[in-house]
mmCIF file of all heavy atoms in Angstrom:
data_model
loop_
_atom_site.group_PDB
_atom_site.id
_atom_site.type_symbol
_atom_site.label_atom_id
_atom_site.label_comp_id
_atom_site.label_asym_id
_atom_site.label_seq_id
_atom_site.Cartn_x
_atom_site.Cartn_y
_atom_site.Cartn_z
ATOM 1 N N GLN E 286 275.133 162.889 110.258
ATOM 2 C CA GLN E 286 275.291 162.531 111.665
ATOM 3 C C GLN E 286 274.224 163.214 112.521
ATOM 4 O O GLN E 286 274.307 164.493 112.680
ATOM 5 C CB GLN E 286 276.678 162.857 112.170
ATOM 6 C CG GLN E 286 276.954 162.408 113.618
ATOM 7 C CD GLN E 286 278.360 162.647 114.114
ATOM 8 O OE1 GLN E 286 279.043 163.561 113.609
ATOM 9 N NE2 GLN E 286 278.844 161.850 115.067
ATOM 10 N N HIS E 287 273.275 162.467 112.995
ATOM 11 C CA HIS E 287 272.281 163.036 113.957
ATOM 12 C C HIS E 287 272.972 163.174 115.305
ATOM 13 O O HIS E 287 273.904 162.456 115.621
ATOM 14 C CB HIS E 287 271.062 162.146 114.048
ATOM 15 C CG HIS E 287 270.161 162.217 112.870
ATOM 16 N ND1 HIS E 287 270.127 161.289 111.824
ATOM 17 C CD2 HIS E 287 269.262 163.158 112.539
ATOM 18 C CE1 HIS E 287 269.259 161.644 110.973
ATOM 19 N NE2 HIS E 287 268.685 162.786 111.331
ATOM 20 N N ALA E 288 272.461 164.160 116.087
ATOM 21 C CA ALA E 288 273.067 164.471 117.374
ATOM 22 C C ALA E 288 273.138 163.183 118.237
ATOM 23 O O ALA E 288 272.106 162.494 118.403
ATOM 24 C CB ALA E 288 272.212 165.542 118.061
ATOM 25 N N GLY E 289 274.317 162.927 118.791
ATOM 26 C CA GLY E 289 274.469 161.766 119.645
ATOM 27 C C GLY E 289 274.537 160.424 118.973
ATOM 28 O O GLY E 289 274.538 159.387 119.650
ATOM 29 N N GLU E 290 274.594 160.429 117.620
ATOM 30 C CA GLU E 290 274.620 159.203 116.903
ATOM 31 C C GLU E 290 275.897 159.073 116.022
ATOM 32 O O GLU E 290 276.661 160.025 115.878
ATOM 33 C CB GLU E 290 273.377 159.043 116.049
ATOM 34 C CG GLU E 290 272.074 159.010 116.845
ATOM 35 C CD GLU E 290 270.844 158.770 115.996
ATOM 36 O OE1 GLU E 290 270.999 158.442 114.818
ATOM 37 O OE2 GLU E 290 269.761 158.952 116.523
ATOM 38 N N ALA E 291 276.079 157.904 115.404
ATOM 39 C CA ALA E 291 277.213 157.675 114.545
ATOM 40 C C ALA E 291 276.990 158.333 113.166
ATOM 41 O O ALA E 291 275.839 158.412 112.714
ATOM 42 C CB ALA E 291 277.463 156.205 114.349
ATOM 43 N N PRO E 292 278.029 158.737 112.477
ATOM 44 C CA PRO E 292 277.881 159.182 111.109
ATOM 45 C C PRO E 292 277.418 157.975 110.251
ATOM 46 O O PRO E 292 277.849 156.869 110.417
ATOM 47 C CB PRO E 292 279.299 159.612 110.694
ATOM 48 C CG PRO E 292 279.995 159.847 111.965
ATOM 49 C CD PRO E 292 279.415 158.893 112.976
ATOM 50 N N THR E 293 276.571 158.284 109.258
ATOM 51 C CA THR E 293 276.117 157.295 108.317
ATOM 52 C C THR E 293 276.356 157.778 106.907
ATOM 53 O O THR E 293 276.184 158.947 106.627
ATOM 54 C CB THR E 293 274.637 156.888 108.499
ATOM 55 O OG1 THR E 293 273.853 158.076 108.415
ATOM 56 C CG2 THR E 293 274.407 156.205 109.837
ATOM 57 N N PHE E 294 276.715 156.893 106.021
ATOM 58 C CA PHE E 294 277.099 157.205 104.653
ATOM 59 C C PHE E 294 275.887 157.727 103.843
ATOM 60 O O PHE E 294 274.800 157.165 103.918
ATOM 61 C CB PHE E 294 277.649 155.946 103.990
ATOM 62 C CG PHE E 294 277.883 156.040 102.490
ATOM 63 C CD1 PHE E 294 278.956 156.717 101.982
ATOM 64 C CD2 PHE E 294 276.951 155.465 101.637
ATOM 65 C CE1 PHE E 294 279.153 156.795 100.607
ATOM 66 C CE2 PHE E 294 277.127 155.547 100.278
ATOM 67 C CZ PHE E 294 278.220 156.192 99.749
ATOM 68 N N LEU E 295 276.094 158.773 103.080
ATOM 69 C CA LEU E 295 275.067 159.313 102.212
ATOM 70 C C LEU E 295 275.432 159.111 100.736
ATOM 71 O O LEU E 295 274.599 158.649 99.925
ATOM 72 C CB LEU E 295 274.850 160.777 102.447
ATOM 73 C CG LEU E 295 274.099 161.219 103.707
ATOM 74 C CD1 LEU E 295 274.003 162.724 103.753
ATOM 75 C CD2 LEU E 295 272.683 160.624 103.699
ATOM 76 N N SER E 296 276.644 159.548 100.335
ATOM 77 C CA SER E 296 277.007 159.538 98.922
ATOM 78 C C SER E 296 278.470 159.537 98.720
ATOM 79 O O SER E 296 279.250 159.865 99.609
ATOM 80 C CB SER E 296 276.373 160.760 98.228
ATOM 81 O OG SER E 296 277.047 161.940 98.636
ATOM 82 N N TYR E 297 278.882 159.163 97.480
ATOM 83 C CA TYR E 297 280.247 159.077 97.088
ATOM 84 C C TYR E 297 280.382 159.593 95.685
ATOM 85 O O TYR E 297 279.578 159.216 94.802
ATOM 86 C CB TYR E 297 280.758 157.667 97.186
ATOM 87 C CG TYR E 297 282.100 157.408 96.544
ATOM 88 C CD1 TYR E 297 283.228 157.902 97.175
ATOM 89 C CD2 TYR E 297 282.216 156.681 95.370
ATOM 90 C CE1 TYR E 297 284.490 157.675 96.616
ATOM 91 C CE2 TYR E 297 283.473 156.493 94.819
ATOM 92 C CZ TYR E 297 284.602 156.950 95.404
ATOM 93 O OH TYR E 297 285.856 156.707 94.865
#
Side-chain angles (χ1 to χ4, degrees):
Chain E
Q286 186 176 25
H287 285 100
E290 297 184 13
T293 54
F294 170 79
L295 285 178
S296 69
Y297 169 72

